[in-house]
């Protein structure tokens, strides 16, 4: 009989993966399957790159972008092609403040739509004072979008109402760090 290296598996023995390996492989397969299925159904995980939507979303949050067709409404969080071209991935996330035909303005930081002040519990109230804009009427086929953190947001106040066709989806679910609806 030939000399054998003591570290080798004896003939006929089966080399089994460790317990961690037996758990890790199916878990990884489940995650990959879930991501592929989500993409096929029109969902995409997206990382938030800035604090312009704080306190609702902060830099580094992972959210689900829903690509399924919908009609944007006031209050929706939408992702759209960046009109400034500054975004890393070409998309920005903002909240729809007004839709086509609405008259919109800011009076001392308070959002006013169609002559009525809008209660915005999601907005960073500490950064709303002293801002005036409009009123202006949102043209047909356009949306007026704002960041929740007005002091740190480039939005329709700078680039004007966006083309509704530039919206690629809406966000209504956070994956990480605290999963759940927004």
């Amino acid at each position: 009989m030939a000399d054998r290296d003591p570290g080798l598996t004896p003939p006929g023995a089966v080399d089994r993966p460790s317990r961690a390996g037996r758990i890790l492989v199916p878990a990884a397969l489940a995650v990959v399957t879930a991501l592929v299925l989500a993409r096929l159904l029109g969902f995409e995980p997206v990382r938030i790159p800035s604090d312009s939507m704080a306190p609702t979303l902060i830099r580094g949050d992972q959210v689900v972008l829903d690509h399924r067709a919908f009609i944007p409404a006031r209050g929706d969080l939408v992702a759209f092609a960046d009109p400034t071209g500054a975004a890393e991935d070409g998309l920005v996330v903002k909240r729809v403040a007004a839709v086509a035909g609405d008259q919109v303005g800011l009076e001392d930081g308070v959002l006013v739509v169609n002559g009525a002040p809008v209660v915005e519990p999601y907005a960073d109230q500490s950064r709303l004072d002293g801002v005036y804009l409009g009123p202006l009427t949102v043209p047909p086929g356009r949306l007026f979008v704002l960041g929740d953190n007005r002091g740190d947001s480039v939005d329709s106040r700078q680039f004007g109402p966006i083309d509704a066709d530039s919206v690629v989806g809406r966000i209504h679910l956070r994956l990480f760090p605290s999963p759940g609806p927004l």
Side-chain angles (χ1 to χ4, degrees):
M1 182 178 239
D3 288 343
R4 293 165 64 69
D5 183 0
L8 293 178
T9 305
V14 177
D15 189 19
R16 292 185 174 191
S18 69
R19 178 173 162 81
R22 289 191 310 261
I23 294 171
L24 188 58
V25 170
L29 185 58
V31 167
V32 169
T33 302
L35 288 174
V36 168
L37 185 57
R39 283 275 175 117
L40 290 173
L41 294 174
F43 300 99
E44 174 185 5
V46 175
R47 186 184 67 78
I48 300 298
S50 76
D51 288 320
S52 71
M53 290 303 296
T56 306
L57 299 170
I58 59 171
R59 181 186 318 264
D61 278 359
Q62 297 284 329
V63 297
V64 175
L65 178 57
D66 181 350
H67 290 285
R68 295 176 301 171
F70 75 105
I71 297 172
R74 279 186 237 123
D76 284 346
L77 292 178
V78 296
F80 55 94
D82 181 7
T84 69
E88 282 178 28
D89 63 1
L91 293 178
V92 288
V93 174
K94 301 293 177 200
R95 189 176 301 275
V96 176
V99 297
D102 284 344
Q103 189 176 58
V104 63
L106 292 167
E107 296 176 5
D108 198 18
V110 175
L111 177 64
V112 177
V113 177
N114 298 325
V118 177
V119 177
E120 297 182 284
Y122 43 76
D124 183 349
Q125 300 297 321
S126 69
R127 297 185 174 208
L128 296 181
D129 290 340
V131 178
Y132 289 87
L133 175 79
L136 62 96
T137 300
V138 180
R142 317 264 309 158
L143 303 167
F144 193 88
V145 295
L146 294 171
D148 290 354
N149 181 359
R150 306 276 159 73
D152 190 24
S153 179
V154 176
D155 48 41
S156 286
R157 295 171 298 163
Q158 288 81 25
F159 51 70
I162 64 164
D163 188 344
D165 289 339
S166 71
V167 173
V168 297
R170 69 178 154 181
I171 294 170
H172 44 84
L173 183 67
R174 181 184 295 113
L175 294 173
F176 179 83
S178 51
L182 299 174

